[in-house]
Amino acid sequence: MKFRYPRTAALLAAACAAPFLVAAAASADNADPYLWLENIHGEKALATVGKWNAETARVLDAMPGYEADRVRAKAIMDDEHQIAEPAQVMGDTVTNLWRDAKHPKGLWREASLSSYLSGKPEWQTLIDVDALGKEEGKSWIWHGANCLAPDYERCLVSLSPGGSDADVMREWDRTTKSFVDGGFTLPEAKSTVAWEDADTLLVATDFGKGTMTTSGYPFVVKRWKRGTPLSAAQTVMEGKASDVGVFPRRLIDSDGTAYNVINRGITFYTGETWIEGPDHAFIKTPLPETADLEGVEGGRLFAFLNKPLGEIPAGSVVDWAIPDVIAGTAGAPEVVFTPNARQAVEDVGTTDHHVWIKLLDDVSGRLLVMTRGADGTWSHQTADLPDKATITLKASADKQDIAFATVQSFLVPPTLYAVDAGGKAAAVQSLPAKFDPSQFTVEQRFATSKDGTRVPYFLAMRKGVKGPVPALIHAYGGFRVAQTPTYLTTEPYRAGPLALFWVEDGNAYVLANIRGGGEYGPKWHDAALREKRQNAYDDLYAVAQDLVKRGITARGKIAVSGRSNGGLMAGVAMTQRPDLFGAAIIGSPLLDMKRYSHMLAGASWMAEYGNPDNPKDWAFIRKYSPYQNLKAGVHYPPPFIYLSTEDDRVHPGHARKFTAKLKALGDTVYYHEYREGGHSVGAAHAEDAVRAAMLHAYLRHVLMGVQPLKGPVKQ
């Protein structure tokens, strides 16, 4: 089984690796004096970045407690007492990628399912990523392995140089534990590959001129036979250059039948799903263009509805009989599950005899085990997992009908459970506590947004603390991605144990569930789409104002935090409400919304934000675009902006140009651009620990007034 892999997830996981071309997509904007900073590896641009990095380090590295924070953060991340999460269950074998102090890039390894379930896995190393990189002179970052069922002996291993989304694909033999001489290989590109059989691949990659979309993804899928050059591969499907991309995929049913499917992404949220018939021709399925394919089980094809289908509400899970789909005779689907108004389906998967649905219920996780009766109706068991927690489906043992799920919250460390078909959950491994939870309190509260919408948020504080105290609010608000609480040593996302350090100081940490995400299903996302984007930002302000109203914090003592689309949110917050926020953590951000669609993978996101080249769309985008809304004479909160030079998803030019413009206006900016790590920023725990320590130092300096040991720094 593969848990939820909808079209949107595929696009979020991939990205453009096209080289820098300033004038390629937009007529050169002569009014932008910082366009030269879009030259990612340009000598002048990198020299400027180096100067900004050094300026930030001189202040924050000198803060009291910085080095202790860095050491502690790295120890937490490198701790060998970590959960060996299952990457995949291949028959009777479990695989895992293990990273620790000795293996910062990771060990890809395997153990028997029986030993894994016993809690005492007997691991055997398959690939030592650090050793491989050293041997080949590459900074390889693991991107996964796609192994051919049912024996899983041959695998397509993906490795990224430096952490970019683009990667190299090489065929690997699990029996010999070596790469296959003369096997399938693809050069660095944004490739999507599916096995058709042991000697045939379905490949979407950069085949050369005229094969990539304006979003930077392949729009041609070819059938590639073993022993032939890639240039001899035969086209099986071709989209359009205006599409987002075309992506092949292989699904395995409970009886071992393999179904090859191709998703043609017309926009980020619309597309066509095609399934391969007996004659190798691809047949268009009845899935609506707005639906997401979820998997197969028992000869049935499952999908998630992002829009209503007849009388079936949006947010439902439905299915069709695959023989009818292939024959072109499929009618209306069966309804597997429809959530209520407070619920949202966040994840869907299949094992040999069941469908698994992970729900959010007022943003708390629940896991359902679905069973189809002889009359075609579906019933469910609720898994016996802890309540009021975040549940994440990791993998499954298909034959055994077992799903693996982690459960955690702000104060409860992750536990990995094996859940059987009856919903009974058995703990496989638990992470030891990193701190004493009795010293903190956690509450879920609700704010009221500008239009009356009820917006949930989670609040963590130290017991006995009386406000107002500085507060850190993290949010995202886009692309149907829900924000759910994880252990404080991993909050906010990609900031290490920053949240733990912050609440230990006696401050408040908040995770806000603003619109644009998936917390309450498709309607929650749609409410902040395109011209309705301001709703997400108003939700954020409502949470901040609710904290002020309750006496928890005060205006000017609030930091906003977000990454990627959340980085855009944080940039909007500091430019729209400098009266409310005193700090902003802006990670891997979109900030220049006039040019975003011409920068790397930006064109693929126009369904989310709109097309800035269309005057009607630009009319609403320009109202919030942070780069364009910076003005002289405004006292902006000094932001901390972090990113990676090798981010080939969100262009580094966004952060660089925003920083340059702020500095030209006389404002303070703390800037940290790491040379490796891609969009996630940081190829190893050492860098992640530095970022956690720098962010804590930044917040203490800006919001709490703590000064560097070398003396005061002028703001």
Side-chain angles (χ1 to χ4, degrees):
M1 172 188 57
K2 297 291 189 296
F3 284 112
R4 195 168 192 181
Y5 189 85
R7 179 186 309 107
T8 52
L11 297 179
L12 283 168
C16 177
F20 160 72
L21 292 170
V22 166
S27 56
D29 186 359
N30 295 323
D32 186 350
Y34 305 112
L35 202 63
W36 57 274
L37 284 165
E38 291 183 19
N39 191 340
I40 296 175
H41 298 104
E43 184 177 349
K44 182 181 177 183
L46 288 179
T48 301
V49 164
K51 178 175 177 288
W52 292 343
N53 280 352
E55 290 172 351
T56 297
R58 276 197 297 272
V59 176
L60 300 184
D61 291 9
M63 285 285 292
Y66 166 82
E67 181 59 17
D69 282 347
R70 186 196 66 77
V71 171
R72 184 184 177 197
K74 190 170 186 298
I76 288 172
M77 296 175 193
D78 284 341
D79 189 349
E80 292 192 2
H81 294 96
Q82 55 181 296
I83 293 178
E85 295 182 348
Q88 189 178 0
V89 180
M90 303 187 300
D92 296 320
T93 300
V94 178
T95 61
N96 161 262
L97 184 72
W98 180 263
R99 295 172 65 197
D100 58 21
K102 296 179 181 178
H103 309 96
K105 299 296 178 66
L107 296 173
W108 184 44
R109 57 188 191 170
E110 66 178 13
S112 67
L113 177 60
S114 58
S115 71
Y116 188 81
L117 286 169
S118 73
K120 298 179 180 180
E122 300 166 354
W123 295 111
Q124 293 185 346
T125 298
L126 299 173
I127 295 178
D128 183 329
V129 182
D130 295 271
L132 179 66
K134 184 177 181 180
E135 178 185 343
E136 298 182 346
K138 296 283 189 179
S139 181
W140 289 128
I141 305 299
W142 182 257
H143 270 195
N146 176 2
C147 301
L148 177 63
D151 55 20
Y152 302 99
E153 291 180 355
R154 291 295 178 94
C155 304
L156 303 174
V157 168
S158 296
L159 297 163
S160 166
S164 63
D165 285 346
D167 51 36
V168 173
M169 188 277 290
R170 299 156 69 178
E171 187 177 7
W172 197 79
D173 191 325
R174 274 183 64 227
T175 62
T176 63
K177 294 183 173 57
S178 63
F179 289 104
V180 178
D181 290 337
F184 290 115
T185 61
L186 287 174
E188 183 180 349
K190 301 175 287 98
S191 304
T192 305
V193 183
W195 291 98
E196 192 169 45
D197 57 46
D199 296 310
T200 313
L201 301 181
L202 294 174
V203 179
T205 191
D206 186 350
F207 291 105
K209 186 178 180 180
T211 65
M212 304 294 283
T213 69
T214 54
S215 297
Y217 299 93
F219 68 83
V220 177
V221 178
K222 296 188 177 185
R223 182 175 285 114
W224 185 17
K225 294 287 186 180
R226 185 180 297 279
T228 65
L230 183 62
S231 59
Q234 298 296 307
T235 299
V236 295
M237 183 168 292
E238 187 169 330
K240 297 180 180 179
S242 59
D243 291 345
V244 171
V246 182
F247 310 95
R249 181 181 172 193
R250 181 180 176 87
L251 302 171
I252 307 297
D253 205 345
S254 51
D255 63 357
T257 302
Y259 296 101
N260 293 302
V261 298
I262 295 177
N263 287 331
R264 177 194 168 206
I266 299 171
T267 71
F268 203 89
Y269 298 119
T270 62
E272 300 169 346
T273 303
W274 299 70
I275 189 167
E276 189 174 19
D279 59 355
H280 296 297
F282 280 83
I283 302 151
K284 190 176 179 181
T285 71
L287 270 71
E289 288 192 350
T290 55
D292 292 322
L293 175 64
E294 301 292 0
V296 297
E297 185 271 324
R300 307 193 72 80
L301 189 71
F302 294 85
F304 175 81
L305 299 181
N306 289 294
K307 301 290 183 184
L309 180 58
E311 298 298 317
I312 307 173
S316 299
V317 178
V318 298
D319 72 87
W320 289 266
I322 294 176
D324 294 344
V325 170
I326 292 175
T329 60
E334 293 180 351
V335 177
V336 179
F337 181 80
T338 297
N340 66 35
R342 294 295 182 195
Q343 296 176 333
V345 173
E346 192 180 27
D347 209 345
V348 179
T350 60
T351 53
D352 279 3
H353 305 98
H354 299 277
V355 172
W356 303 74
I357 295 179
K358 184 279 184 78
L359 283 180
L360 291 178
D361 198 332
D362 256 341
V363 203
S364 291
R366 290 175 59 197
L367 179 61
L368 307 182
V369 189
M370 310 295 301
T371 305
R372 186 173 185 268
D375 61 353
T377 60
W378 288 84
S379 60
H380 71 264
Q381 292 275 353
T382 301
D384 183 21
L385 292 171
D387 195 15
K388 304 296 182 183
T390 292
I391 298 172
T392 306
L393 290 169
K394 294 297 182 179
S396 69
D398 291 353
K399 290 187 300 182
Q400 296 85 356
D401 285 312
I402 293 174
F404 292 100
T406 57
V407 180
Q408 62 183 311
S409 64
F410 278 167
L411 303 184
V412 179
T415 293
L416 178 69
Y417 290 91
V419 184
D420 66 20
K424 184 178 179 181
V428 176
Q429 187 182 355
S430 295
L431 187 70
K434 306 290 186 183
F435 57 87
D436 177 9
S438 67
Q439 62 186 309
F440 304 117
T441 63
V442 172
E443 297 177 75
Q444 184 185 31
R445 293 182 172 179
F446 294 85
T448 302
S449 194
K450 183 177 181 180
D451 63 359
T453 299
R454 175 176 175 262
V455 181
Y457 66 90
F458 294 89
L459 169 67
M461 295 183 70
R462 200 173 66 194
K463 286 181 179 177
V465 169
K466 302 295 183 182
V469 297
L472 170 61
I473 305 175
H474 185 76
Y476 185 75
F479 294 96
R480 300 173 180 160
V481 178
Q483 300 296 291
T484 53
T486 60
Y487 200 43
L488 283 179
T489 58
T490 61
E491 288 275 355
Y493 178 65
R494 299 302 300 152
L498 173 62
L500 174 62
F501 295 172
W502 189 239
V503 295
E504 284 179 337
D505 290 339
N507 302 312
Y509 176 68
V510 173
L511 184 66
N513 303 114
I514 65 178
R515 280 174 287 182
E519 285 85 346
Y520 291 103
K523 65 181 183 295
W524 200 248
H525 170 250
D526 293 349
L529 205 57
R530 289 173 47 83
E531 69 275 9
K532 294 175 282 188
R533 197 97 208 144
Q534 188 62 40
N535 284 335
Y537 309 136
D538 288 343
D539 289 356
L540 172 70
Y541 309 153
V543 170
Q545 289 163 340
D546 193 64
L547 294 170
V548 173
K549 180 181 177 181
R550 293 173 184 267
I552 293 167
T553 189
R555 288 173 177 266
K557 290 295 183 181
I558 307 171
V560 60
S561 164
R563 288 191 70 259
S564 194
N565 169 76
L568 168 62
M569 173 215 66
V572 172
M574 68 167 278
T575 53
Q576 286 189 349
R577 296 297 306 271
D579 62 310
L580 185 58
F581 297 98
I585 296 173
I586 303 175
S588 305
L590 291 88
L591 294 166
D592 181 355
M593 298 305 288
K594 179 61 178 175
R595 279 186 46 75
Y596 87 90
S597 59
H598 303 291
M599 300 167 71
L600 295 179
S604 65
W605 308 321
M606 288 192 290
E608 179 81 10
Y609 302 118
N611 180 0
D613 296 335
N614 181 324
K616 291 183 179 179
D617 287 6
W618 178 239
F620 58 77
I621 297 171
R622 71 188 303 272
K623 292 179 181 179
Y624 67 80
S625 180
Y627 185 57
Q628 281 73 29
N629 279 288
L630 288 173
K631 298 179 179 66
V634 178
H635 180 67
Y636 294 110
F640 185 108
I641 299 174
Y642 70 90
L643 65 150
S644 166
T645 306
E646 300 307 318
D647 186 344
D648 55 357
R649 189 180 311 182
V650 176
H651 199 296
H654 286 280
R656 293 174 177 181
K657 295 195 302 177
F658 190 74
T659 298
K661 191 171 182 179
L662 269 173
K663 284 179 172 288
L665 292 173
D667 288 273
T668 298
V669 183
Y670 299 91
Y671 188 92
H672 184 62
E673 181 173 326
Y674 188 54
R675 291 301 304 271
E676 288 192 325
H679 186 59
S680 62
V681 187
H685 289 163
E687 166 60 19
D688 294 340
V690 167
R691 184 166 55 256
M694 292 186 85
L695 289 172
H696 189 210
Y698 159 75
L699 290 175
R700 294 174 67 226
H701 180 47
V702 173
L703 292 186
M704 300 175 68
V706 179
Q707 294 296 316
L709 294 174
K710 296 180 181 179
V713 176
K714 293 182 180 180
Q715 293 293 336

